[in-house]
Each structure stands twice: as C-alpha cells, then as structure tokens.
C-alpha cells in the first residue's frame, strides 16, 4: 500500500492539487516538455508515469481510468496512440526533470519536466547489431512452415530435370551409336 | 496582548542583525566546452542552456 502524502497540498486543498496536477499532466502530454516549479514537477512525475503505464496496456478499462485524469480526448488519443507505444521497450523512467534557474518574481526553484525522447541504448545497439531474439523467432516460425512446403516442390522439379537430362544422354548415346 | 516590557537596545538589535549573512552560491564551470561559464551545480546552464550535454532551455 502506498504511503500517504504528508504535509500541505499544492494549491491548498486535495481537490485543488488533483486538478492542478491533472492540468500539468495534460500540458506535459500535449507539449512533451513543460517548465514549472520543482515541487510541482516532483509531484507530477509519478502521476504522469502511472498514466503512461496505463497507456502502454492500452485496453478500454485503462483508457477509462486515464480519462478520469486527462479529460481532453485529443490528448488522451495522443497518449494512447503515440506516447504509450513509443515507450514500449522502456520499463519506467518515462520522464526527466532538469532543474533550471530560479524564477525572477519570487525566486522559486524552477525545473523542466519532459518526456524522454531518445530510445534506450540497448535498443539502439541491438537494432544496429541486428540481434535476433527467441520472442521474435516465434513470429518467424510461421513463414518457415511455408518454406518447407515449397521445398518438396522444388525437389520434384529437380527430379524431372534430372530425368530430362537422362533422356538427353540416352539420345546422345543413340546418336553416337548411329 | 503580549507586549515588550523593555526597549530593545541598539546594541542588541545590531547584534541580532549582524547574523543576517548572505551566502555566496557555489558555482561550477559549465561542462559545455564552447561555454565554460560559471553556473549553479545540478542546474541547467543559464548562459548556454545545456545540462549534461543536452539542450534543456533556450538561453536568455
């Protein structure tokens, strides 16, 4: 069971914090990168990553669960159609927080929170190396069956060709005999 | 209502205020070789906008 959050909420009340974080999450998924105070970014990160995990599962139940937070249907579609599949190979850590210079007006600590745009190093290396995995072999196995079916046919044609050659040699012998 | 019983002496006031000190921020040189300007550590560089070799913000 997750530990309850202690202390004051962002914006004053729990409801205000929920709405504030929902709006921040919507902005993050719309723009891919937002600048906010560090405290808000740190609160937003677990929420946003939970939403992306749900988007990766991608079924109707999870879509409705996410819709409780992200009320904009355009952003919801983008999350499930683009952002979720993009993070298919990454297990958590979908966002990155980088601290920036404090705000001018009140000297508040500011940060940039962004969706991690680059692929995993291992994924890139495996793509470059052309590594084949057992989980991909299963997909290849189905075409392999078709290949084996083609093979006897090829042998059959080879046999007919061989027979033709034999006939040809017989004819040649006959010519020589004449 | 609670009120002060005695006047705060000039000495006591000044002794208290002598403890208000500003601390210089600890700066490090930017890791971007084209920049090398001093910046706060663990914070994106305000002059070139990079952090850890990645462009994070547009410099002002």
């Amino acid at each position: 069971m997750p530990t309850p959050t202690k202390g004051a909420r962002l914006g004053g009340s729990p409801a205000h914090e929920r709405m504030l974080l929902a709006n921040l999450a919507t902005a993050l998924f719309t723009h891919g990168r937002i600048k906010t105070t560090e405290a808000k970014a740190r609160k937003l990160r677990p929420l946003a990553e939970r939403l992306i995990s749900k988007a990766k599962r991608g079924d109707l139940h999870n879509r409705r669960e996410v819709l409780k937070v992200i009320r904009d249907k355009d952003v919801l579609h983008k999350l499930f159609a683009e952002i979720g599949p993009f993070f298919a190979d990454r297990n958590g850590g979908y966002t990155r927080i980088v601290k920036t210079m404090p705000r001018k007006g009140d000297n508040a600590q500011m940060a940039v929170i962004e969706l991690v745009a680059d692929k995993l190093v291992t994924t890139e290396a495996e793509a470059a190396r052309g590594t084949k995995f057992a989980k991909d072999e299963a997909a290849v196995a189905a075409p392999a069956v078709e290949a084996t079916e083609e093979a006897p046919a090829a042998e059959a044609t080879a046999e007919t060709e061989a027979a033709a050659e034999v006939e040809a040699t017989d004819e040649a012998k006959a010519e020589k005999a004449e | 209502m609670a009120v002060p019983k005695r006047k705060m002496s000039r000495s006591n006031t000044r002794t208290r205020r002598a403890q208000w000190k500003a601390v210089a921020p600890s700066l490090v040189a930017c890791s971007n070789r084209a920049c090398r300007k001093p910046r706060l550590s663990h914070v994106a560089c305000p002059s070139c906008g990079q952090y850890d070799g990645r462009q994070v913000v547009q410099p002002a």
Side-chain angles (χ1 to χ4, degrees):
Chain A
M1 186 180 152
T3 321
T5 315
K6 296 281 176 68
R9 307 291 124 156
L10 298 173
S13 66
H16 196 168
E17 175 171 307
R18 269 201 302 278
M19 300 312 281
L20 200 151
L21 291 177
N23 290 337
L24 279 174
T26 309
L28 175 64
F29 295 139
T30 313
H31 301 288
R33 150 190 301 222
I34 55 174
K35 185 176 185 181
T36 178
T37 64
E38 197 192 338
K40 282 176 192 160
R42 300 256 176 235
K43 278 279 180 71
L44 173 62
R45 175 178 222 168
L47 175 72
E49 301 210 350
R50 251 193 326 271
L51 294 177
I52 293 172
S53 294
K54 286 192 201 312
K56 280 171 77 176
R57 282 185 217 123
D59 53 354
L60 184 60
H61 170 65
N62 283 300
R63 187 176 283 262
R64 285 174 176 162
E65 286 291 311
V66 173
L67 192 60
K68 289 182 192 173
V69 180
I70 307 289
R71 288 149 295 153
D72 188 335
K73 294 229 172 115
D74 294 340
V75 179
L76 183 84
H77 179 263
K78 188 187 174 194
L79 177 61
F80 275 73
E82 293 170 25
I83 299 172
F86 179 79
F87 287 126
D89 58 338
R90 191 179 283 273
N91 302 316
Y94 311 120
T95 57
R96 176 189 294 134
I97 296 177
V98 178
K99 285 183 267 190
T100 56
M101 291 302 281
R103 188 156 59 192
K104 269 285 183 285
D106 58 356
N107 206 28
Q109 300 289 317
M110 298 301 281
V112 169
I113 180 166
E114 61 187 355
L115 299 174
V116 176
D118 31 35
K119 303 299 280 183
L120 290 176
V121 176
T122 50
T123 311
E124 281 180 0
E126 277 157 8
R129 209 185 302 133
T131 315
K132 287 198 175 68
F133 295 101
K135 63 185 169 67
D136 298 331
E137 293 290 326
V140 179
V145 173
E146 289 172 14
T148 49
E149 282 170 2
E150 283 169 12
E155 282 169 16
T157 51
E159 280 170 12
T160 50
E161 279 170 14
E165 279 174 14
V166 170
E167 282 170 15
T169 48
D170 286 343
E171 281 171 15
K173 282 176 187 172
E175 281 170 13
K176 280 177 187 175
E178 283 171 7
Chain B
M1 197 175 79
V3 287
K5 191 171 187 178
R6 295 214 171 269
K7 176 188 165 100
M8 185 84 156
S9 75
R10 196 184 299 167
S11 163
N12 268 346
T13 304
R14 287 177 181 170
T15 309
R16 186 180 73 249
R17 287 188 188 162
Q19 301 306 313
W20 299 356
K21 289 167 193 163
V23 182
S26 57
L27 300 177
V28 294
C30 180
S31 60
N32 179 10
R33 272 184 288 179
C35 176
R36 290 287 185 215
K37 299 250 172 60
R39 63 172 178 85
L40 292 172
S41 57
H42 306 114
V43 166
C45 177
S47 27
C48 67
Q50 284 195 9
Y51 185 77
D52 200 13
R54 211 176 266 123
Q55 194 71 33
V56 177
V57 288
Q58 289 303 314

